[in-house]
mmCIF file of all heavy atoms in Angstrom:
data_model
loop_
_atom_site.group_PDB
_atom_site.id
_atom_site.type_symbol
_atom_site.label_atom_id
_atom_site.label_comp_id
_atom_site.label_asym_id
_atom_site.label_seq_id
_atom_site.Cartn_x
_atom_site.Cartn_y
_atom_site.Cartn_z
ATOM 1 N N LEU A 1 0.830 -1.205 0.000
ATOM 2 C CA LEU A 1 0.000 0.000 0.000
ATOM 3 C C LEU A 1 0.864 1.254 0.000
ATOM 4 O O LEU A 1 0.542 2.242 -0.681
ATOM 5 C CB LEU A 1 -0.922 0.010 1.223
ATOM 6 C CG LEU A 1 -2.046 -1.023 1.265
ATOM 7 C CD1 LEU A 1 -2.937 -0.769 2.492
ATOM 8 C CD2 LEU A 1 -2.886 -1.004 -0.001
ATOM 9 N N LEU A 2 1.940 1.226 0.768
ATOM 10 C CA LEU A 2 2.806 2.404 0.839
ATOM 11 C C LEU A 2 3.446 2.691 -0.512
ATOM 12 O O LEU A 2 3.559 3.847 -0.922
ATOM 13 C CB LEU A 2 3.868 2.201 1.910
ATOM 14 C CG LEU A 2 4.680 3.462 2.232
ATOM 15 C CD1 LEU A 2 4.788 3.669 3.732
ATOM 16 C CD2 LEU A 2 6.068 3.374 1.624
ATOM 17 N N LYS A 3 3.830 1.646 -1.239
ATOM 18 C CA LYS A 3 4.395 1.865 -2.575
ATOM 19 C C LYS A 3 3.335 2.436 -3.509
ATOM 20 O O LYS A 3 3.631 3.317 -4.336
ATOM 21 C CB LYS A 3 4.956 0.568 -3.157
ATOM 22 C CG LYS A 3 5.696 0.800 -4.485
ATOM 23 C CD LYS A 3 6.353 -0.429 -5.011
ATOM 24 C CE LYS A 3 7.239 -0.103 -6.211
ATOM 25 N NZ LYS A 3 6.491 0.583 -7.293
ATOM 26 N N LEU A 4 2.104 1.957 -3.392
ATOM 27 C CA LEU A 4 1.025 2.527 -4.201
ATOM 28 C C LEU A 4 0.883 4.025 -3.918
ATOM 29 O O LEU A 4 0.755 4.838 -4.832
ATOM 30 C CB LEU A 4 -0.294 1.811 -3.907
ATOM 31 C CG LEU A 4 -0.477 0.411 -4.504
ATOM 32 C CD1 LEU A 4 -1.724 -0.249 -3.921
ATOM 33 C CD2 LEU A 4 -0.575 0.473 -6.021
ATOM 34 N N ALA A 5 0.904 4.375 -2.629
ATOM 35 C CA ALA A 5 0.796 5.790 -2.261
ATOM 36 C C ALA A 5 1.982 6.576 -2.799
ATOM 37 O O ALA A 5 1.824 7.695 -3.313
ATOM 38 C CB ALA A 5 0.702 5.921 -0.739
ATOM 39 N N ASN A 6 3.170 6.008 -2.690
ATOM 40 C CA ASN A 6 4.368 6.700 -3.162
ATOM 41 C C ASN A 6 4.345 6.891 -4.674
ATOM 42 O O ASN A 6 4.956 7.822 -5.202
ATOM 43 C CB ASN A 6 5.621 5.911 -2.753
ATOM 44 C CG ASN A 6 6.885 6.729 -2.864
ATOM 45 O OD1 ASN A 6 7.041 7.742 -2.185
ATOM 46 N ND2 ASN A 6 7.797 6.298 -3.717
ATOM 47 N N ASP A 7 3.624 6.001 -5.362
ATOM 48 C CA ASP A 7 3.506 6.094 -6.819
ATOM 49 C C ASP A 7 2.361 7.014 -7.249
ATOM 50 O O ASP A 7 2.044 7.091 -8.439
ATOM 51 C CB ASP A 7 3.287 4.704 -7.418
ATOM 52 C CG ASP A 7 4.527 3.837 -7.335
ATOM 53 O OD1 ASP A 7 5.621 4.385 -7.096
ATOM 54 O OD2 ASP A 7 4.410 2.608 -7.487
ATOM 55 N N GLY A 8 1.742 7.689 -6.273
ATOM 56 C CA GLY A 8 0.685 8.637 -6.595
ATOM 57 C C GLY A 8 -0.679 8.020 -6.781
ATOM 58 O O GLY A 8 -1.539 8.622 -7.448
ATOM 59 N N CYS A 9 -0.895 6.855 -6.198
ATOM 60 C CA CYS A 9 -2.155 6.137 -6.409
ATOM 61 C C CYS A 9 -3.147 6.309 -5.262
ATOM 62 O O CYS A 9 -4.203 5.662 -5.254
ATOM 63 C CB CYS A 9 -1.882 4.639 -6.593
ATOM 64 S SG CYS A 9 -0.732 4.266 -7.935
ATOM 65 N N ALA A 10 -2.840 7.162 -4.275
ATOM 66 C CA ALA A 10 -3.689 7.298 -3.087
ATOM 67 C C ALA A 10 -4.202 8.720 -2.949
ATOM 68 O O ALA A 10 -3.551 9.684 -3.358
ATOM 69 C CB ALA A 10 -2.913 6.900 -1.835
ATOM 70 N N ALA A 11 -5.378 8.827 -2.341
ATOM 71 C CA ALA A 11 -5.943 10.128 -2.002
ATOM 72 C C ALA A 11 -5.725 10.376 -0.515
ATOM 73 O O ALA A 11 -5.935 9.484 0.306
ATOM 74 C CB ALA A 11 -7.429 10.154 -2.323
ATOM 75 N N ALA A 12 -5.301 11.565 -0.173
ATOM 76 C CA ALA A 12 -5.093 11.909 1.237
ATOM 77 C C ALA A 12 -6.437 12.103 1.935
ATOM 78 O O ALA A 12 -7.425 12.514 1.313
ATOM 79 C CB ALA A 12 -4.251 13.165 1.356
ATOM 80 N N HIS A 13 -6.452 11.818 3.221
ATOM 81 C CA HIS A 13 -7.680 11.992 4.007
ATOM 82 C C HIS A 13 -7.309 12.392 5.430
ATOM 83 O O HIS A 13 -6.460 11.755 6.052
ATOM 84 C CB HIS A 13 -8.491 10.699 4.026
ATOM 85 C CG HIS A 13 -9.674 10.753 4.954
ATOM 86 N ND1 HIS A 13 -10.699 11.665 4.808
ATOM 87 C CD2 HIS A 13 -9.980 10.016 6.064
ATOM 88 C CE1 HIS A 13 -11.592 11.489 5.765
ATOM 89 N NE2 HIS A 13 -11.181 10.501 6.538
ATOM 90 N N THR A 14 -7.921 13.449 5.914
ATOM 91 C CA THR A 14 -7.732 13.859 7.305
ATOM 92 C C THR A 14 -9.092 14.069 7.945
ATOM 93 O O THR A 14 -10.045 14.509 7.296
ATOM 94 C CB THR A 14 -6.921 15.166 7.407
ATOM 95 O OG1 THR A 14 -7.586 16.190 6.659
ATOM 96 C CG2 THR A 14 -5.511 14.975 6.870
ATOM 97 N N SER A 15 -9.175 13.747 9.223
ATOM 98 C CA SER A 15 -10.416 13.867 9.980
ATOM 99 C C SER A 15 -10.058 13.764 11.451
ATOM 100 O O SER A 15 -8.921 13.401 11.811
ATOM 101 C CB SER A 15 -11.394 12.750 9.599
ATOM 102 O OG SER A 15 -10.920 11.496 10.090
ATOM 103 N N PRO A 16 -10.984 14.029 12.342
ATOM 104 C CA PRO A 16 -10.708 13.830 13.773
ATOM 105 C C PRO A 16 -10.283 12.395 14.076
ATOM 106 O O PRO A 16 -9.478 12.169 14.988
ATOM 107 C CB PRO A 16 -12.045 14.177 14.426
ATOM 108 C CG PRO A 16 -12.665 15.174 13.509
ATOM 109 C CD PRO A 16 -12.290 14.702 12.136
ATOM 110 N N GLU A 17 -10.803 11.431 13.313
ATOM 111 C CA GLU A 17 -10.447 10.033 13.573
ATOM 112 C C GLU A 17 -9.019 9.718 13.122
ATOM 113 O O GLU A 17 -8.305 8.958 13.783
ATOM 114 C CB GLU A 17 -11.440 9.092 12.872
ATOM 115 C CG GLU A 17 -12.883 9.264 13.307
ATOM 116 C CD GLU A 17 -13.103 9.012 14.788
ATOM 117 O OE1 GLU A 17 -12.225 8.437 15.443
ATOM 118 O OE2 GLU A 17 -14.159 9.419 15.294
ATOM 119 N N THR A 18 -8.573 10.292 12.010
ATOM 120 C CA THR A 18 -7.210 10.009 11.559
ATOM 121 C C THR A 18 -6.182 10.604 12.511
ATOM 122 O O THR A 18 -5.051 10.114 12.588
ATOM 123 C CB THR A 18 -6.972 10.547 10.134
ATOM 124 O OG1 THR A 18 -7.085 11.979 10.135
ATOM 125 C CG2 THR A 18 -7.969 9.963 9.152
ATOM 126 N N LEU A 19 -6.562 11.663 13.226
ATOM 127 C CA LEU A 19 -5.649 12.263 14.195
ATOM 128 C C LEU A 19 -5.387 11.339 15.381
ATOM 129 O O LEU A 19 -4.410 11.532 16.101
ATOM 130 C CB LEU A 19 -6.216 13.599 14.693
ATOM 131 C CG LEU A 19 -6.362 14.704 13.634
ATOM 132 C CD1 LEU A 19 -7.005 15.937 14.256
ATOM 133 C CD2 LEU A 19 -5.006 15.053 13.032
ATOM 134 N N ARG A 20 -6.247 10.349 15.577
ATOM 135 C CA ARG A 20 -6.082 9.410 16.687
ATOM 136 C C ARG A 20 -5.068 8.312 16.372
ATOM 137 O O ARG A 20 -4.630 7.581 17.265
ATOM 138 C CB ARG A 20 -7.421 8.754 17.029
ATOM 139 C CG ARG A 20 -8.532 9.731 17.423
ATOM 140 C CD ARG A 20 -9.853 9.019 17.650
ATOM 141 N NE ARG A 20 -9.791 8.084 18.769
ATOM 142 C CZ ARG A 20 -9.840 6.759 18.665
ATOM 143 N NH1 ARG A 20 -9.934 6.197 17.482
ATOM 144 N NH2 ARG A 20 -9.774 5.994 19.722
ATOM 145 N N VAL A 21 -4.699 8.180 15.107
ATOM 146 C CA VAL A 21 -3.827 7.087 14.686
ATOM 147 C C VAL A 21 -2.404 7.325 15.179
ATOM 148 O O VAL A 21 -1.879 8.445 15.109
ATOM 149 C CB VAL A 21 -3.831 6.957 13.144
ATOM 150 C CG1 VAL A 21 -2.892 5.848 12.687
ATOM 151 C CG2 VAL A 21 -5.246 6.692 12.650
ATOM 152 N N ALA A 22 -1.773 6.279 15.693
ATOM 153 C CA ALA A 22 -0.387 6.373 16.147
ATOM 154 C C ALA A 22 0.509 6.855 15.014
ATOM 155 O O ALA A 22 0.291 6.523 13.840
ATOM 156 C CB ALA A 22 0.090 5.011 16.657
ATOM 157 N N GLU A 23 1.520 7.612 15.367
ATOM 158 C CA GLU A 23 2.406 8.205 14.360
ATOM 159 C C GLU A 23 3.068 7.135 13.492
ATOM 160 O O GLU A 23 3.284 7.345 12.296
ATOM 161 C CB GLU A 23 3.454 9.068 15.073
ATOM 162 C CG GLU A 23 4.281 9.938 14.143
ATOM 163 C CD GLU A 23 5.626 9.305 13.830
ATOM 164 O OE1 GLU A 23 6.042 8.417 14.591
ATOM 165 O OE2 GLU A 23 6.246 9.704 12.828
ATOM 166 N N TRP A 24 3.366 5.959 14.073
ATOM 167 C CA TRP A 24 4.025 4.898 13.312
ATOM 168 C C TRP A 24 3.068 4.202 12.335
ATOM 169 O O TRP A 24 3.500 3.422 11.476
ATOM 170 C CB TRP A 24 4.654 3.859 14.244
ATOM 171 C CG TRP A 24 3.673 3.083 15.087
ATOM 172 C CD1 TRP A 24 3.264 3.388 16.353
ATOM 173 C CD2 TRP A 24 2.996 1.878 14.730
ATOM 174 N NE1 TRP A 24 2.353 2.455 16.801
ATOM 175 C CE2 TRP A 24 2.184 1.521 15.824
ATOM 176 C CE3 TRP A 24 2.996 1.059 13.597
ATOM 177 C CZ2 TRP A 24 1.369 0.383 15.817
ATOM 178 C CZ3 TRP A 24 2.186 -0.072 13.578
ATOM 179 C CH2 TRP A 24 1.400 -0.402 14.685
ATOM 180 N N ALA A 25 1.755 4.490 12.454
ATOM 181 C CA ALA A 25 0.764 3.810 11.620
ATOM 182 C C ALA A 25 0.057 4.770 10.668
ATOM 183 O O ALA A 25 -1.056 4.502 10.217
ATOM 184 C CB ALA A 25 -0.259 3.095 12.503
ATOM 185 N N ASN A 26 0.710 5.901 10.329
ATOM 186 C CA ASN A 26 0.122 6.866 9.410
ATOM 187 C C ASN A 26 1.206 7.357 8.463
ATOM 188 O O ASN A 26 2.215 7.914 8.887
ATOM 189 C CB ASN A 26 -0.473 8.053 10.192
ATOM 190 C CG ASN A 26 -1.058 9.119 9.280
ATOM 191 O OD1 ASN A 26 -0.896 9.093 8.069
ATOM 192 N ND2 ASN A 26 -1.733 10.087 9.883
ATOM 193 N N TRP A 27 1.005 7.139 7.167
ATOM 194 C CA TRP A 27 1.953 7.597 6.162
ATOM 195 C C TRP A 27 1.307 8.690 5.333
ATOM 196 O O TRP A 27 0.412 8.439 4.538
ATOM 197 C CB TRP A 27 2.402 6.440 5.279
ATOM 198 C CG TRP A 27 3.150 6.807 4.027
ATOM 199 C CD1 TRP A 27 2.743 6.626 2.747
ATOM 200 C CD2 TRP A 27 4.445 7.416 3.943
ATOM 201 N NE1 TRP A 27 3.693 7.081 1.853
ATOM 202 C CE2 TRP A 27 4.747 7.574 2.570
ATOM 203 C CE3 TRP A 27 5.369 7.848 4.893
ATOM 204 C CZ2 TRP A 27 5.930 8.135 2.130
ATOM 205 C CZ3 TRP A 27 6.550 8.413 4.452
ATOM 206 C CH2 TRP A 27 6.832 8.552 3.091
ATOM 207 N N ARG A 28 1.704 9.927 5.572
ATOM 208 C CA ARG A 28 1.300 11.096 4.796
ATOM 209 C C ARG A 28 -0.222 11.259 4.685
ATOM 210 O O ARG A 28 -0.728 11.785 3.714
ATOM 211 C CB ARG A 28 1.906 11.030 3.382
ATOM 212 C CG ARG A 28 3.409 11.019 3.346
ATOM 213 C CD ARG A 28 3.965 11.216 1.944
ATOM 214 N NE ARG A 28 3.254 10.486 0.901
ATOM 215 C CZ ARG A 28 3.775 10.235 -0.301
ATOM 216 N NH1 ARG A 28 5.002 10.659 -0.591
ATOM 217 N NH2 ARG A 28 3.082 9.576 -1.205
ATOM 218 N N ASP A 29 -0.944 10.763 5.663
ATOM 219 C CA ASP A 29 -2.414 10.809 5.631
ATOM 220 C C ASP A 29 -2.974 10.091 4.418
ATOM 221 O O ASP A 29 -4.082 10.397 3.951
ATOM 222 C CB ASP A 29 -2.923 12.262 5.656
ATOM 223 C CG ASP A 29 -2.610 12.971 6.970
ATOM 224 O OD1 ASP A 29 -2.653 12.296 8.022
ATOM 225 O OD2 ASP A 29 -2.320 14.176 6.945
ATOM 226 N N GLU A 30 -2.223 9.110 3.916
ATOM 227 C CA GLU A 30 -2.657 8.339 2.747
ATOM 228 C C GLU A 30 -2.780 6.853 3.037
ATOM 229 O O GLU A 30 -3.627 6.172 2.446
ATOM 230 C CB GLU A 30 -1.674 8.551 1.587
ATOM 231 C CG GLU A 30 -1.668 9.982 1.060
ATOM 232 C CD GLU A 30 -0.655 10.192 -0.043
ATOM 233 O OE1 GLU A 30 0.222 9.325 -0.242
ATOM 234 O OE2 GLU A 30 -0.735 11.227 -0.728
ATOM 235 N N VAL A 31 -1.934 6.330 3.921
ATOM 236 C CA VAL A 31 -2.022 4.938 4.342
ATOM 237 C C VAL A 31 -2.144 4.920 5.859
ATOM 238 O O VAL A 31 -1.301 5.484 6.560
ATOM 239 C CB VAL A 31 -0.784 4.123 3.906
ATOM 240 C CG1 VAL A 31 -0.913 2.675 4.380
ATOM 241 C CG2 VAL A 31 -0.611 4.172 2.397
ATOM 242 N N PHE A 32 -3.193 4.264 6.347
ATOM 243 C CA PHE A 32 -3.454 4.226 7.787
ATOM 244 C C PHE A 32 -3.508 2.781 8.276
ATOM 245 O O PHE A 32 -4.125 1.918 7.646
ATOM 246 C CB PHE A 32 -4.796 4.890 8.117
ATOM 247 C CG PHE A 32 -4.888 6.336 7.705
ATOM 248 C CD1 PHE A 32 -5.392 6.689 6.460
ATOM 249 C CD2 PHE A 32 -4.467 7.335 8.569
ATOM 250 C CE1 PHE A 32 -5.490 8.020 6.082
ATOM 251 C CE2 PHE A 32 -4.553 8.678 8.197
ATOM 252 C CZ PHE A 32 -5.064 9.014 6.945
ATOM 253 N N GLY A 33 -2.866 2.521 9.408
ATOM 254 C CA GLY A 33 -2.998 1.230 10.050
ATOM 255 C C GLY A 33 -4.216 1.228 10.958
ATOM 256 O O GLY A 33 -4.447 2.193 11.694
ATOM 257 N N PHE A 34 -5.006 0.143 10.913
ATOM 258 C CA PHE A 34 -6.213 0.115 11.735
ATOM 259 C C PHE A 34 -6.311 -1.111 12.638
ATOM 260 O O PHE A 34 -7.319 -1.297 13.315
ATOM 261 C CB PHE A 34 -7.471 0.235 10.864
ATOM 262 C CG PHE A 34 -7.739 -0.941 9.951
ATOM 263 C CD1 PHE A 34 -8.587 -1.965 10.352
ATOM 264 C CD2 PHE A 34 -7.170 -1.005 8.700
ATOM 265 C CE1 PHE A 34 -8.852 -3.042 9.515
ATOM 266 C CE2 PHE A 34 -7.425 -2.081 7.851
ATOM 267 C CZ PHE A 34 -8.267 -3.102 8.259
ATOM 268 N N THR A 35 -5.264 -1.954 12.659
ATOM 269 C CA THR A 35 -5.234 -3.081 13.601
ATOM 270 C C THR A 35 -3.864 -3.138 14.273
ATOM 271 O O THR A 35 -2.929 -2.439 13.890
ATOM 272 C CB THR A 35 -5.508 -4.425 12.896
ATOM 273 O OG1 THR A 35 -4.442 -4.699 11.965
ATOM 274 C CG2 THR A 35 -6.839 -4.412 12.168
ATOM 275 N N TYR A 36 -3.747 -4.016 15.253
ATOM 276 C CA TYR A 36 -2.494 -4.227 15.988
ATOM 277 C C TYR A 36 -2.367 -5.732 16.153
ATOM 278 O O TYR A 36 -2.988 -6.333 17.023
ATOM 279 C CB TYR A 36 -2.578 -3.535 17.346
ATOM 280 C CG TYR A 36 -1.283 -3.461 18.123
ATOM 281 C CD1 TYR A 36 -0.359 -2.445 17.901
ATOM 282 C CD2 TYR A 36 -0.988 -4.399 19.116
ATOM 283 C CE1 TYR A 36 0.810 -2.354 18.636
ATOM 284 C CE2 TYR A 36 0.181 -4.319 19.850
ATOM 285 C CZ TYR A 36 1.078 -3.298 19.608
ATOM 286 O OH TYR A 36 2.243 -3.219 20.354
ATOM 287 N N GLU A 37 -1.569 -6.354 15.267
ATOM 288 C CA GLU A 37 -1.545 -7.810 15.201
ATOM 289 C C GLU A 37 -0.120 -8.368 15.304
ATOM 290 O O GLU A 37 0.700 -8.147 14.413
ATOM 291 C CB GLU A 37 -2.186 -8.279 13.898
ATOM 292 C CG GLU A 37 -3.643 -7.845 13.755
ATOM 293 C CD GLU A 37 -4.243 -8.313 12.455
ATOM 294 O OE1 GLU A 37 -4.403 -9.526 12.290
ATOM 295 O OE2 GLU A 37 -4.528 -7.457 11.600
ATOM 296 N N PRO A 38 0.170 -9.087 16.362
ATOM 297 C CA PRO A 38 1.495 -9.691 16.494
ATOM 298 C C PRO A 38 1.646 -10.910 15.599
ATOM 299 O O PRO A 38 0.670 -11.599 15.273
ATOM 300 C CB PRO A 38 1.534 -10.091 17.970
ATOM 301 C CG PRO A 38 0.096 -10.353 18.326
ATOM 302 C CD PRO A 38 -0.690 -9.348 17.526
ATOM 303 N N ALA A 39 2.876 -11.175 15.178
ATOM 304 C CA ALA A 39 3.215 -12.411 14.483
ATOM 305 C C ALA A 39 3.550 -13.451 15.544
ATOM 306 O O ALA A 39 4.447 -13.231 16.368
ATOM 307 C CB ALA A 39 4.395 -12.198 13.541
ATOM 308 N N VAL A 40 2.840 -14.566 15.560
ATOM 309 C CA VAL A 40 2.911 -15.506 16.679
ATOM 310 C C VAL A 40 3.307 -16.907 16.226
ATOM 311 O O VAL A 40 3.332 -17.212 15.035
ATOM 312 C CB VAL A 40 1.543 -15.573 17.396
ATOM 313 C CG1 VAL A 40 1.145 -14.195 17.931
ATOM 314 C CG2 VAL A 40 0.450 -16.115 16.471
ATOM 315 N N PHE A 41 3.627 -17.742 17.209
ATOM 316 C CA PHE A 41 3.773 -19.173 16.998
ATOM 317 C C PHE A 41 2.425 -19.816 17.342
ATOM 318 O O PHE A 41 1.739 -19.379 18.262
ATOM 319 C CB PHE A 41 4.825 -19.795 17.916
ATOM 320 C CG PHE A 41 6.195 -19.186 17.836
ATOM 321 C CD1 PHE A 41 7.109 -19.391 18.869
ATOM 322 C CD2 PHE A 41 6.602 -18.412 16.760
ATOM 323 C CE1 PHE A 41 8.379 -18.837 18.828
ATOM 324 C CE2 PHE A 41 7.874 -17.855 16.704
ATOM 325 C CZ PHE A 41 8.767 -18.074 17.750
ATOM 326 N N VAL A 42 2.076 -20.851 16.611
ATOM 327 C CA VAL A 42 0.878 -21.638 16.926
ATOM 328 C C VAL A 42 1.292 -23.104 16.989
ATOM 329 O O VAL A 42 2.101 -23.550 16.176
ATOM 330 C CB VAL A 42 -0.215 -21.448 15.850
ATOM 331 C CG1 VAL A 42 -1.456 -22.270 16.195
ATOM 332 C CG2 VAL A 42 -0.583 -19.980 15.712
ATOM 333 N N TYR A 43 0.755 -23.839 17.951
ATOM 334 C CA TYR A 43 1.091 -25.261 18.013
ATOM 335 C C TYR A 43 -0.115 -26.080 18.434
ATOM 336 O O TYR A 43 -1.091 -25.569 19.003
ATOM 337 C CB TYR A 43 2.278 -25.515 18.952
ATOM 338 C CG TYR A 43 2.010 -25.283 20.421
ATOM 339 C CD1 TYR A 43 1.641 -26.347 21.257
ATOM 340 C CD2 TYR A 43 2.140 -24.012 20.983
ATOM 341 C CE1 TYR A 43 1.407 -26.126 22.615
ATOM 342 C CE2 TYR A 43 1.907 -23.799 22.334
ATOM 343 C CZ TYR A 43 1.540 -24.864 23.140
ATOM 344 O OH TYR A 43 1.299 -24.656 24.482
ATOM 345 N N ASN A 44 -0.051 -27.375 18.126
ATOM 346 C CA ASN A 44 -1.078 -28.324 18.521
ATOM 347 C C ASN A 44 -0.648 -28.964 19.833
ATOM 348 O O ASN A 44 0.371 -29.656 19.889
ATOM 349 C CB ASN A 44 -1.259 -29.388 17.430
ATOM 350 C CG ASN A 44 -2.435 -30.307 17.698
ATOM 351 O OD1 ASN A 44 -2.593 -30.817 18.807
ATOM 352 N ND2 ASN A 44 -3.242 -30.544 16.681
ATOM 353 N N ALA A 45 -1.415 -28.722 20.898
ATOM 354 C CA ALA A 45 -1.024 -29.172 22.234
ATOM 355 C C ALA A 45 -1.001 -30.691 22.360
ATOM 356 O O ALA A 45 -0.343 -31.226 23.266
ATOM 357 C CB ALA A 45 -1.970 -28.572 23.277
ATOM 358 N N SER A 46 -1.680 -31.386 21.476
ATOM 359 C CA SER A 46 -1.654 -32.842 21.521
ATOM 360 C C SER A 46 -0.421 -33.410 20.827
ATOM 361 O O SER A 46 -0.131 -34.613 20.943
ATOM 362 C CB SER A 46 -2.914 -33.426 20.874
ATOM 363 O OG SER A 46 -2.932 -33.178 19.481
#
């Protein structure tokens, strides 16, 4: 998505809600992160 935005394929958007987004999850008001998901291990307990 960030490459798409960098290539001029995104429209900027600002609003009171976008201001709530963490600084690390907002790229130029064009790409916004909306989840917080860790990369985990999964195993079968049996």
Side-chain angles (χ1 to χ4, degrees):
L1 291 185
L2 190 133
K3 186 175 188 304
L4 285 170
N6 196 62
D7 289 344
C9 304
H13 173 60
T14 57
S15 70
E17 300 300 345
T18 64
L19 296 177
R20 301 176 64 249
V21 178
E23 190 262 341
W24 65 267
N26 178 351
W27 168 246
R28 299 191 318 199
D29 294 324
E30 294 178 346
V31 179
F32 300 92
F34 67 95
T35 65
Y36 190 85
E37 300 180 67
V40 300
F41 304 161
V42 180
Y43 69 95
N44 187 312
S46 68

